[in-house]
Amino acid sequence: MNLVSVNVGMPKTVEHLGRKVSTGIFKSPVDGRVMVRKLNVDGDGQADLTVHGGVYKAVYAYDLENILYWQRVLDRDDIGFGHFGENFTVEEMPDDRIHIGDVFRVGSALLEVTQPRVPCFKMEMKMDLPGFSRQFITSGRLGFCFRVLEEGEVGAGDEIELITTGPGKITVWDFARLYFFDYDNLEKIRRLIRIPAVPPDWVRVFEEILTSSGEKRLTRMPQ
């Protein structure tokens, strides 16, 4: 596993369907080494902090094979590093092999996988493809977010070392499927929300699914 590219960009305002939209999805590769901090990567920013960024989404990673896949499927040559708003373009880290709660050493930073990426209309705007969010979700190629356990420097070419495998053995794709498609799998939902790395907001979402299915509300110790 390797870090192929580090991508950053500050929010900017663009025209979309007759209105102005502020977005941080436009990111470009940077040279040299960059500090990864608790809330983001140096030089990077998010426009809407209610849905992007923060402690549990400080860094977004997307696999190189996914980028190559979209180049082929969409027959486009404008899709490169950072195109999906990812901070890290990585290699050999597909959604169905990375677990929630996995901890990795990247450069001198220590990072923990917390959740899959959930697309919004800004991705469709960036891609200029209405309805692309659905295609993105069903592809199983969402990428994932990191929480920063230890701040540190990273750079393209760094090896990504697995330090600890997440408890519960729930992959990023498992998590996404439980939310979008497989919400009747109550046993796996119970396993998911017991993983300490899962953000509190997501725990509440899945507890509501359990409650609506007649399950007793589950709780865990606060992080």
Side-chain angles (χ1 to χ4, degrees):
M1 297 177 288
N2 295 282
L3 179 56
V4 178
S5 179
V6 180
N7 317 295
V8 301
M10 297 303 293
K12 65 179 183 178
T13 300
V14 298
E15 292 280 346
H16 177 61
L17 300 179
R19 64 188 181 98
K20 295 185 182 297
V21 176
S22 181
T23 178
I25 198 171
F26 294 90
K27 302 190 189 300
S28 301
V30 294
D31 296 324
R33 302 194 69 73
V34 182
M35 275 296 297
V36 176
R37 304 190 188 276
K38 289 291 185 180
L39 296 181
N40 55 25
V41 180
D42 275 5
D44 193 54
Q46 298 81 35
D48 185 353
L49 293 176
T50 64
V51 292
H52 300 291
V55 171
Y56 289 95
K57 292 182 283 187
V59 180
Y60 171 45
Y62 202 58
D63 196 83
L64 174 61
E65 176 53 38
N66 295 338
I67 293 174
L68 300 177
Y69 169 85
W70 292 117
Q71 289 176 349
R72 295 191 304 268
V73 168
L74 300 177
D75 191 24
R76 288 174 55 163
D77 59 8
D78 64 331
I79 299 175
F81 302 155
H83 192 86
F84 293 91
E86 79 271 13
N87 301 113
F88 289 179
T89 307
V90 298
E91 194 170 27
E92 299 180 355
M93 299 183 76
D95 290 22
D96 60 357
R97 282 176 41 197
I98 301 303
H99 302 92
I100 303 300
D102 281 357
V103 175
F104 295 93
R105 176 70 68 182
V106 187
S108 58
L110 191 67
L111 310 174
E112 180 182 53
V113 177
T114 60
Q115 61 194 291
R117 189 259 186 87
V118 176
C120 66
F121 79 93
K122 292 179 182 179
M123 176 179 286
E124 299 184 1
M125 175 188 70
K126 173 76 182 294
M127 298 296 292
D128 194 23
L129 286 174
F132 179 70
S133 291
R134 183 69 179 177
Q135 185 178 4
F136 186 77
I137 291 167
T138 57
S139 73
R141 300 169 183 269
L142 281 71
F144 50 90
C145 298
F146 283 123
R147 174 170 64 164
V148 179
L149 301 180
E150 295 178 8
E151 297 182 349
E153 282 191 340
V154 302
D158 283 352
E159 180 182 358
I160 300 176
E161 178 188 5
L162 176 64
I163 303 300
T164 306
T165 299
K169 297 293 183 69
I170 302 289
T171 68
V172 172
W173 180 227
D174 287 335
F175 186 131
R177 283 185 54 83
L178 288 171
Y179 179 62
F180 290 111
F181 311 112
D182 196 21
Y183 32 79
D184 289 332
N185 192 336
L186 304 183
E187 184 276 332
K188 187 171 281 189
I189 289 174
R190 289 195 296 270
R191 284 168 49 201
L192 173 65
I193 65 175
R194 291 191 179 105
I195 299 173
V198 177
D201 287 352
W202 273 112
V203 172
R204 288 191 288 270
V205 167
F206 283 111
E207 283 182 333
E208 289 302 319
I209 292 174
L210 291 173
T211 299
S212 66
S213 300
E215 286 281 327
K216 181 179 178 181
R217 185 176 179 84
L218 297 180
T219 59
R220 68 175 189 190
M221 294 297 292
Q223 299 305 301

